[in-house]
């Protein structure tokens, strides 16, 4: 089994920064992809960013230039650095893992999910 544990959420003001972390444990494939998604109240879960085993990245247009995804393979940890936060970034952020090396941007492509961490951006 694979477990994902997120940390780093909180309440910030518009323009501030936050860094989310997601640590994976358990049995994974050698090459696995990771991603971040977010879900606002009453809305569907949406893609934010993804990173492949070899550090190729892909971002949603809404966060491009403001968010940066990275990973530490030795620690099986992925990070999401969020700068210039906006109120519309407010959501529960989930990290996800897929047993494939390629990038994935759909919820259905990920088989393992963290419990989520709340990010609230006040105006």
């Amino acid at each position: 089994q694979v477990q994902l544990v997120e940390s780093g959420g909180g309440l910030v003001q518009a323009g501030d920064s936050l860094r989310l972390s997601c640590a994976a444990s358990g049995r994974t494939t050698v090459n696995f992809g990771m991603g971040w998604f977010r879900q606002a109240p009453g809305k569907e879960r949406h893609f934010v960013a993804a990173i492949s085993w070899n550090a190729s990245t892909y971002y949603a247009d809404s966060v491009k230039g403001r968010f940066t995804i990275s990973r530490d393979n030795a620690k099986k940890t992925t990070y999401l650095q969020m700068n210039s936060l906006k109120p519309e970034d407010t959501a529960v952020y989930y990290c996800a893992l897929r047993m494939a090396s390629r990038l994935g941007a759909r919820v259905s492509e990920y088989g393992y999910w963290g419990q989520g961490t709340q990010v609230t951006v006040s105006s």
Side-chain angles (χ1 to χ4, degrees):
Q1 272 290 26
V2 174
Q3 293 82 39
L4 301 176
V5 178
E6 299 124 334
S7 61
L11 171 63
V12 297
Q13 293 186 330
D16 286 350
S17 298
L18 274 178
R19 189 174 87 150
L20 306 182
S21 299
C22 173
S25 61
R27 187 180 295 273
T28 64
T29 56
V30 174
N31 299 337
F32 59 88
M34 299 192 77
W36 288 94
F37 292 74
R38 65 188 181 186
Q39 187 167 17
K43 297 191 176 181
E44 294 183 349
R45 194 168 297 188
H46 289 288
F47 169 75
V48 175
I51 188 165
S52 67
W53 170 256
N54 63 353
S56 295
T57 58
Y58 179 62
Y59 296 93
D61 288 343
S62 59
V63 306
K64 204 172 293 183
R66 299 189 298 124
F67 291 11
T68 302
I69 188 171
S70 61
R71 64 189 288 168
D72 183 332
N73 289 333
K75 297 181 179 179
K76 289 187 178 180
T77 299
T78 186
Y79 305 95
L80 186 67
Q81 177 66 43
M82 305 185 294
N83 298 330
S84 302
L85 282 162
K86 305 175 182 180
E88 51 264 44
D89 294 319
T90 295
V92 176
Y93 283 70
Y94 297 90
C95 74
L97 184 149
R98 63 195 299 254
M99 299 295 195
S101 59
R102 299 182 306 277
L103 294 167
R106 291 179 290 189
V107 170
S108 60
E109 293 179 302
Y110 291 82
Y112 301 93
W113 293 84
Q115 79 286 356
T117 185
Q118 177 70 47
V119 172
T120 303
V121 184
S122 63
S123 58

